[in-house]
Amino acid sequence: MAKPLILSSFLAVLLLSLSPLSLESAPGRRLGSSKRAPCFFGKFSHPHTNKLSNPRNPKYRYDTRYFDQRLDHFSFADLPNFPQRYLINTEHWVGPARMGPIFFTAATRGILSGSPTTPASFGKSRLALVPWSSSPKLSIMSLKHRYYGESMPYGSRDEAYRNATTLAHLTTEQALADFAVLITNLKRNLSAETCPVVLFGGSYGGMLAAWMRLKYPQIAIGALASSAPVLQFEDIVPPETFYDIVSNDFRVRNALTFFFSLTTFHRESTSCFNTIKESWDIVEAEGQKKNGLVELTKTFGLCRVIELNDRKLERSEDLSDWLDSAYSYLAMANYPYPTEFLMPLPGNPIKEVCRKIDSCPDGTSVLDRVFEGVSVYYNYTGEVDCFELDDDPHGMDGWNWQACSEMVMPMSSTRDSSMFPEYNFSYSLFEEGCWNDYRVKSRPTWITTEFGGHGFKAALKIFGSNIIFSNGLLDPWSGGSVLGNISKSIIALVTEKGAHHIDLRAATVNDPDWVVEQRAAEVKVIEGWIKDYYQEKKAVFDM
Amino acid sequence: MAKPLILSSFLAVLLLSLSPLSLESAPGRRLGSSKRAPCFFGKFSHPHTNKLSNPRNPKYRYDTRYFDQRLDHFSFADLPNFPQRYLINTEHWVGPARMGPIFFTAATRGILSGSPTTPASFGKSRLALVPWSSSPKLSIMSLKHRYYGESMPYGSRDEAYRNATTLAHLTTEQALADFAVLITNLKRNLSAETCPVVLFGGSYGGMLAAWMRLKYPQIAIGALASSAPVLQFEDIVPPETFYDIVSNDFRVRNALTFFFSLTTFHRESTSCFNTIKESWDIVEAEGQKKNGLVELTKTFGLCRVIELNDRKLERSEDLSDWLDSAYSYLAMANYPYPTEFLMPLPGNPIKEVCRKIDSCPDGTSVLDRVFEGVSVYYNYTGEVDCFELDDDPHGMDGWNWQACSEMVMPMSSTRDSSMFPEYNFSYSLFEEGCWNDYRVKSRPTWITTEFGGHGFKAALKIFGSNIIFSNGLLDPWSGGSVLGNISKSIIALVTEKGAHHIDLRAATVNDPDWVVEQRAAEVKVIEGWIKDYYQEKKAVFDM
């Protein structure tokens, strides 16, 4: 019988490091005023000089393995298996005899993709720094989500993404079954059937973690679902939620107001908010003028294209989407310290954006102000020569498919409550767009049928256990997540000043107290799950 | 706010009537000594004079409807939808305003098949007899499981059962998703989203009910899973369990010993048990003699075939399977009163079989005794001219496919503990047979991965709620079910003298007290679920 873990000393380090899906795979959202399709975070966000610059930890060791995975778990259709990539570290694991815990996470884009960031992303957990000698040891593993990175069916990305038929099995339920099959097999191979598994995930990965705990309670004893918008479907939350939160983040407070309470924020300066709010009509009007698209191209420093008469823009909506994307990402990445994940950003980046917008000399035009502002996002290092509006290297990304097929998250915006243009989400337009793009028929009510919709929280009151929904209220996705305790063991940990799954980010010396406290609370809860599991096992053994 | 139901007066009537999957769809089992494939109950059990003779209740009204169902819920493959048949009665339903409960069941073979038994099987619930005026009213609905009866993909049974590709989507997970989609749609159409749904099922239907509650807690508030062998997979229970229980049922007690406790049974007469035990070798030896198969054909009254030189038997193993099938079915149908479901049988039929076997004049051969015994099963009415060994009209039944593909239930028998021949289940032989029959690769570890295996009960101790596992210990499937309480609200109701889901059978005046009490206990528990749900809803409304 293994003794209970004393996790607090090292779980904190792990928690903040397993940032599996991270920002780049935030769930889909409506784009700007004209686009109908949600897109994963970042599609419109890459300046062409963007460089990935994750810290490395070459000392951290892990095994890269491939699992022969079934493409369709829920039918017996004769389809080819695919190699699913996963990383595993059992170096410090206490092993099955002492029921050493296994911490599991899933990755979609970026991480584990085989790029130079792979070891860094995994290694960021800095497990080598953990005082292992004083604690039972963990095994950690990270699985690459099907159709992402090297977990590619049909032999190659080109084949897997060829059409709706080959993409057909890129679904959440199949992904969860992948986890179940891999974990079950791995535990069997390690004779570790009794070892407790804990799931971690942020953003879409957080949704997977929560749903995995609900659908496969026998596989994992609990889940930390950070910034997981499991309620951002149909009309469970108002469709304006996301853009309203983004907008509120731009009703910016000065340094002093950081010491005030949340209710104080909304009485702060709204000049930044108002400038952005004014800009959309101006962009649209400018685009309709003679030479307007050329002028916009110049004003916003877009890369010029000779064939288009020295302009980049084909229509002003593309610029609006580019701006929208920046604001939404800034709201997600509105961290209190400098970050460098997809984009190098200063700490409290929205404050910096608004400082730029508000501090322009009198007489500066709205568009020049806005350009100054978004440059904080697109060009904080000052290294960008010109901006590409869309440099998605694949053209057809996995998340876009998922958002079009089953992960349909309706999003609108109003002029009343947001700084964005009026936009009313239309299912018919959405579905038409998805049909045109992918030849797929959207199933907007499927996710709520499979995982729960309006009755989700009520059902969980008497069902399920051991889930933490963690959120920061600055994160625009928080509005679609669970912000209150559901039961004794399905709980919400909310920070007022947190952005998108900050708790899963790597720890820094700049972490404010509220992040440290949030993680400590998570550690305590997870420690409790594991202790309870051991006690339960003991009871079973004693029987 | 609806007031709590007072169910006890009428739920009993309903419970014992919604016998959805009934005996004929009992899960697969090993056949005799030679066959490798499990088969649904009854494939080898039809004498050609068998007549269905369900009681009718023409006064009971229901609507027959079809739902346009997706063939593959878990992928976006371009497959044709199929019409899924269901019956619904909302005649006495209190309706959504008072959150009237909806009782749901699924049917596989037989029931709802469009045969003349359809209205009777559904109507057996005798709801017309219920004192509706004093209670809030139920809506009840029964869905026909995909690939059974008229719920047939690809336009016809012939097309649906053509090959492994067309059968590929006959899986348990797809069936559960069918329920989820239909119930969700129906509730939406009826504006009945807040109405509590309770699931009922017996045998495979009981497994579906339990798993549905686990996988879709937001869809149904609870499930009564009667005789549901959810643990009859891999090595969770010993593979000998089923045949050991059948055998114990044949260690028959005389009338007096019915008043003794269970432990007394095993000291009763074993002459019947021993006679059957001796018979297998004799059948085999006889089959190897010159003209042995002709003699066996005569001894067992098999229908003769001219082309086979006046014999029916092609090999003695087929006769053994026929005998095995009778004993196993008798154990399942070992009810205390006469029944007429697939076969007309007397009350306590095994006692009758053994009375026949034991009361033959001295000098009667073992085979003649055994024939006298199984005639109770195959020819209780005395109307059978001759016996067909296998008259399955379809040749390829849905359950056989399911048992070969994912519902792999390994079953063995030993001479030590059973009256059956030695048989060691072999996965490789099993899989080879399934490949030959269906060109399907069995996935024997999938069900436990999807729904839980060894850790099933431990996981449910801290997860899930509101499931009744009801069993009778005479039922050979009880050994693979849940026989002890798992948690406060996942409970076991066990009767010593019950056979296969007797609690779901129609009430009779002959019901012994223990059946009446079992049903009363179920009613009380289900009533509690509904009361709790209403209280919970009130709490939500008050918030």
Side-chain angles (χ1 to χ4, degrees), chain A residues 516-533:
Chain A
V516 176
E517 285 161 16
Q518 186 183 22
R519 288 180 187 136
E522 291 166 353
V523 167
K524 194 176 165 191
V525 171
I526 294 168
E527 196 175 73
W529 297 343
I530 295 174
K531 276 184 186 165
D532 288 348
Y533 177 80

PDB file of all heavy atoms in Angstrom, chain A residues 516-533:
ATOM      1  N   VAL A 516      -0.073  32.406  -7.524  1.00  0.00           N
ATOM      2  CA  VAL A 516       0.550  31.445  -6.611  1.00  0.00           C
ATOM      3  C   VAL A 516      -0.522  30.772  -5.761  1.00  0.00           C
ATOM      4  O   VAL A 516      -0.515  29.550  -5.568  1.00  0.00           O
ATOM      5  CB  VAL A 516       1.594  32.159  -5.720  1.00  0.00           C
ATOM      6  CG1 VAL A 516       2.175  31.202  -4.690  1.00  0.00           C
ATOM      7  CG2 VAL A 516       2.694  32.762  -6.590  1.00  0.00           C
ATOM      8  N   GLU A 517      -1.474  31.567  -5.304  1.00  0.00           N
ATOM      9  CA  GLU A 517      -2.536  31.016  -4.450  1.00  0.00           C
ATOM     10  C   GLU A 517      -3.470  30.096  -5.232  1.00  0.00           C
ATOM     11  O   GLU A 517      -3.910  29.061  -4.723  1.00  0.00           O
ATOM     12  CB  GLU A 517      -3.352  32.173  -3.834  1.00  0.00           C
ATOM     13  CG  GLU A 517      -2.603  32.879  -2.714  1.00  0.00           C
ATOM     14  CD  GLU A 517      -3.171  34.265  -2.437  1.00  0.00           C
ATOM     15  OE1 GLU A 517      -4.303  34.559  -2.892  1.00  0.00           O
ATOM     16  OE2 GLU A 517      -2.472  35.069  -1.783  1.00  0.00           O
ATOM     17  N   GLN A 518      -3.758  30.473  -6.470  1.00  0.00           N
ATOM     18  CA  GLN A 518      -4.623  29.620  -7.289  1.00  0.00           C
ATOM     19  C   GLN A 518      -3.985  28.246  -7.486  1.00  0.00           C
ATOM     20  O   GLN A 518      -4.623  27.215  -7.320  1.00  0.00           O
ATOM     21  CB  GLN A 518      -4.882  30.279  -8.647  1.00  0.00           C
ATOM     22  CG  GLN A 518      -5.892  29.504  -9.507  1.00  0.00           C
ATOM     23  CD  GLN A 518      -6.072  30.135 -10.890  1.00  0.00           C
ATOM     24  OE1 GLN A 518      -5.207  30.857 -11.368  1.00  0.00           O
ATOM     25  NE2 GLN A 518      -7.203  29.860 -11.513  1.00  0.00           N
ATOM     26  N   ARG A 519      -2.719  28.261  -7.818  1.00  0.00           N
ATOM     27  CA  ARG A 519      -2.028  26.978  -8.012  1.00  0.00           C
ATOM     28  C   ARG A 519      -1.969  26.184  -6.721  1.00  0.00           C
ATOM     29  O   ARG A 519      -2.134  24.969  -6.717  1.00  0.00           O
ATOM     30  CB  ARG A 519      -0.620  27.228  -8.538  1.00  0.00           C
ATOM     31  CG  ARG A 519      -0.604  27.691  -9.972  1.00  0.00           C
ATOM     32  CD  ARG A 519       0.830  27.916 -10.450  1.00  0.00           C
ATOM     33  NE  ARG A 519       0.828  28.516 -11.768  1.00  0.00           N
ATOM     34  CZ  ARG A 519       1.612  29.534 -12.136  1.00  0.00           C
ATOM     35  NH1 ARG A 519       2.464  30.044 -11.287  1.00  0.00           N
ATOM     36  NH2 ARG A 519       1.536  29.998 -13.358  1.00  0.00           N
ATOM     37  N   ALA A 520      -1.732  26.881  -5.624  1.00  0.00           N
ATOM     38  CA  ALA A 520      -1.680  26.168  -4.340  1.00  0.00           C
ATOM     39  C   ALA A 520      -3.022  25.507  -4.044  1.00  0.00           C
ATOM     40  O   ALA A 520      -3.083  24.369  -3.558  1.00  0.00           O
ATOM     41  CB  ALA A 520      -1.298  27.140  -3.232  1.00  0.00           C
ATOM     42  N   ALA A 521      -4.095  26.221  -4.381  1.00  0.00           N
ATOM     43  CA  ALA A 521      -5.419  25.648  -4.163  1.00  0.00           C
ATOM     44  C   ALA A 521      -5.613  24.413  -5.040  1.00  0.00           C
ATOM     45  O   ALA A 521      -6.162  23.392  -4.598  1.00  0.00           O
ATOM     46  CB  ALA A 521      -6.489  26.692  -4.457  1.00  0.00           C
ATOM     47  N   GLU A 522      -5.158  24.492  -6.277  1.00  0.00           N
ATOM     48  CA  GLU A 522      -5.278  23.338  -7.172  1.00  0.00           C
ATOM     49  C   GLU A 522      -4.481  22.149  -6.653  1.00  0.00           C
ATOM     50  O   GLU A 522      -4.956  21.012  -6.655  1.00  0.00           O
ATOM     51  CB  GLU A 522      -4.794  23.731  -8.584  1.00  0.00           C
ATOM     52  CG  GLU A 522      -5.739  24.715  -9.276  1.00  0.00           C
ATOM     53  CD  GLU A 522      -5.130  25.365 -10.512  1.00  0.00           C
ATOM     54  OE1 GLU A 522      -3.929  25.161 -10.768  1.00  0.00           O
ATOM     55  OE2 GLU A 522      -5.867  26.095 -11.215  1.00  0.00           O
ATOM     56  N   VAL A 523      -3.273  22.438  -6.219  1.00  0.00           N
ATOM     57  CA  VAL A 523      -2.424  21.371  -5.678  1.00  0.00           C
ATOM     58  C   VAL A 523      -3.121  20.681  -4.516  1.00  0.00           C
ATOM     59  O   VAL A 523      -3.166  19.450  -4.436  1.00  0.00           O
ATOM     60  CB  VAL A 523      -1.067  21.945  -5.219  1.00  0.00           C
ATOM     61  CG1 VAL A 523      -0.312  20.920  -4.374  1.00  0.00           C
ATOM     62  CG2 VAL A 523      -0.238  22.354  -6.425  1.00  0.00           C
ATOM     63  N   LYS A 524      -3.706  21.484  -3.646  1.00  0.00           N
ATOM     64  CA  LYS A 524      -4.356  20.926  -2.466  1.00  0.00           C
ATOM     65  C   LYS A 524      -5.516  20.008  -2.868  1.00  0.00           C
ATOM     66  O   LYS A 524      -5.678  18.913  -2.321  1.00  0.00           O
ATOM     67  CB  LYS A 524      -4.860  22.079  -1.583  1.00  0.00           C
ATOM     68  CG  LYS A 524      -5.252  21.632  -0.199  1.00  0.00           C
ATOM     69  CD  LYS A 524      -5.643  22.827   0.663  1.00  0.00           C
ATOM     70  CE  LYS A 524      -6.368  22.360   1.907  1.00  0.00           C
ATOM     71  NZ  LYS A 524      -6.984  23.468   2.634  1.00  0.00           N
ATOM     72  N   VAL A 525      -6.294  20.461  -3.825  1.00  0.00           N
ATOM     73  CA  VAL A 525      -7.441  19.658  -4.253  1.00  0.00           C
ATOM     74  C   VAL A 525      -6.975  18.353  -4.902  1.00  0.00           C
ATOM     75  O   VAL A 525      -7.479  17.265  -4.589  1.00  0.00           O
ATOM     76  CB  VAL A 525      -8.315  20.468  -5.231  1.00  0.00           C
ATOM     77  CG1 VAL A 525      -9.381  19.578  -5.851  1.00  0.00           C
ATOM     78  CG2 VAL A 525      -8.959  21.651  -4.523  1.00  0.00           C
ATOM     79  N   ILE A 526      -6.008  18.454  -5.782  1.00  0.00           N
ATOM     80  CA  ILE A 526      -5.537  17.249  -6.487  1.00  0.00           C
ATOM     81  C   ILE A 526      -4.878  16.281  -5.506  1.00  0.00           C
ATOM     82  O   ILE A 526      -5.071  15.063  -5.581  1.00  0.00           O
ATOM     83  CB  ILE A 526      -4.571  17.651  -7.620  1.00  0.00           C
ATOM     84  CG1 ILE A 526      -5.344  18.444  -8.694  1.00  0.00           C
ATOM     85  CG2 ILE A 526      -3.908  16.421  -8.236  1.00  0.00           C
ATOM     86  CD1 ILE A 526      -4.471  19.132  -9.716  1.00  0.00           C
ATOM     87  N   GLU A 527      -4.135  16.845  -4.596  1.00  0.00           N
ATOM     88  CA  GLU A 527      -3.553  16.021  -3.532  1.00  0.00           C
ATOM     89  C   GLU A 527      -4.653  15.260  -2.789  1.00  0.00           C
ATOM     90  O   GLU A 527      -4.512  14.076  -2.481  1.00  0.00           O
ATOM     91  CB  GLU A 527      -2.818  16.966  -2.571  1.00  0.00           C
ATOM     92  CG  GLU A 527      -1.858  16.315  -1.639  1.00  0.00           C
ATOM     93  CD  GLU A 527      -1.118  17.389  -0.837  1.00  0.00           C
ATOM     94  OE1 GLU A 527      -1.740  17.998   0.068  1.00  0.00           O
ATOM     95  OE2 GLU A 527       0.052  17.627  -1.120  1.00  0.00           O
ATOM     96  N   GLY A 528      -5.755  15.939  -2.561  1.00  0.00           N
ATOM     97  CA  GLY A 528      -6.881  15.294  -1.881  1.00  0.00           C
ATOM     98  C   GLY A 528      -7.457  14.147  -2.694  1.00  0.00           C
ATOM     99  O   GLY A 528      -7.774  13.087  -2.150  1.00  0.00           O
ATOM    100  N   TRP A 529      -7.583  14.349  -4.004  1.00  0.00           N
ATOM    101  CA  TRP A 529      -8.089  13.258  -4.855  1.00  0.00           C
ATOM    102  C   TRP A 529      -7.218  12.019  -4.712  1.00  0.00           C
ATOM    103  O   TRP A 529      -7.714  10.906  -4.595  1.00  0.00           O
ATOM    104  CB  TRP A 529      -8.077  13.675  -6.329  1.00  0.00           C
ATOM    105  CG  TRP A 529      -8.959  14.818  -6.686  1.00  0.00           C
ATOM    106  CD1 TRP A 529      -9.995  15.336  -5.958  1.00  0.00           C
ATOM    107  CD2 TRP A 529      -8.883  15.603  -7.884  1.00  0.00           C
ATOM    108  NE1 TRP A 529     -10.569  16.384  -6.623  1.00  0.00           N
ATOM    109  CE2 TRP A 529      -9.907  16.569  -7.811  1.00  0.00           C
ATOM    110  CE3 TRP A 529      -8.063  15.590  -9.014  1.00  0.00           C
ATOM    111  CZ2 TRP A 529     -10.127  17.508  -8.823  1.00  0.00           C
ATOM    112  CZ3 TRP A 529      -8.274  16.514 -10.023  1.00  0.00           C
ATOM    113  CH2 TRP A 529      -9.294  17.469  -9.927  1.00  0.00           C
ATOM    114  N   ILE A 530      -5.904  12.260  -4.777  1.00  0.00           N
ATOM    115  CA  ILE A 530      -4.976  11.125  -4.750  1.00  0.00           C
ATOM    116  C   ILE A 530      -5.015  10.446  -3.381  1.00  0.00           C
ATOM    117  O   ILE A 530      -5.047   9.216  -3.280  1.00  0.00           O
ATOM    118  CB  ILE A 530      -3.555  11.591  -5.132  1.00  0.00           C
ATOM    119  CG1 ILE A 530      -3.564  12.081  -6.596  1.00  0.00           C
ATOM    120  CG2 ILE A 530      -2.547  10.464  -4.950  1.00  0.00           C
ATOM    121  CD1 ILE A 530      -2.247  12.695  -7.056  1.00  0.00           C
ATOM    122  N   LYS A 531      -5.068  11.255  -2.339  1.00  0.00           N
ATOM    123  CA  LYS A 531      -5.167  10.674  -0.989  1.00  0.00           C
ATOM    124  C   LYS A 531      -6.439   9.838  -0.852  1.00  0.00           C
ATOM    125  O   LYS A 531      -6.417   8.716  -0.353  1.00  0.00           O
ATOM    126  CB  LYS A 531      -5.188  11.795   0.058  1.00  0.00           C
ATOM    127  CG  LYS A 531      -3.823  12.305   0.450  1.00  0.00           C
ATOM    128  CD  LYS A 531      -3.962  13.361   1.565  1.00  0.00           C
ATOM    129  CE  LYS A 531      -2.624  13.993   1.871  1.00  0.00           C
ATOM    130  NZ  LYS A 531      -2.767  15.231   2.662  1.00  0.00           N
ATOM    131  N   ASP A 532      -7.536  10.412  -1.314  1.00  0.00           N
ATOM    132  CA  ASP A 532      -8.805   9.673  -1.229  1.00  0.00           C
ATOM    133  C   ASP A 532      -8.728   8.376  -2.017  1.00  0.00           C
ATOM    134  O   ASP A 532      -9.245   7.340  -1.588  1.00  0.00           O
ATOM    135  CB  ASP A 532      -9.959  10.532  -1.785  1.00  0.00           C
ATOM    136  CG  ASP A 532     -10.321  11.672  -0.848  1.00  0.00           C
ATOM    137  OD1 ASP A 532      -9.845  11.655   0.305  1.00  0.00           O
ATOM    138  OD2 ASP A 532     -11.058  12.573  -1.275  1.00  0.00           O
ATOM    139  N   TYR A 533      -8.109   8.453  -3.174  1.00  0.00           N
ATOM    140  CA  TYR A 533      -7.985   7.249  -4.006  1.00  0.00           C
ATOM    141  C   TYR A 533      -7.192   6.176  -3.270  1.00  0.00           C
ATOM    142  O   TYR A 533      -7.580   5.007  -3.249  1.00  0.00           O
ATOM    143  CB  TYR A 533      -7.307   7.612  -5.328  1.00  0.00           C
ATOM    144  CG  TYR A 533      -7.064   6.427  -6.229  1.00  0.00           C
ATOM    145  CD1 TYR A 533      -8.090   5.905  -7.019  1.00  0.00           C
ATOM    146  CD2 TYR A 533      -5.817   5.818  -6.279  1.00  0.00           C
ATOM    147  CE1 TYR A 533      -7.872   4.812  -7.836  1.00  0.00           C
ATOM    148  CE2 TYR A 533      -5.590   4.721  -7.094  1.00  0.00           C
ATOM    149  CZ  TYR A 533      -6.616   4.227  -7.869  1.00  0.00           C
ATOM    150  OH  TYR A 533      -6.390   3.132  -8.673  1.00  0.00           O
TER     151      TYR A 533
END
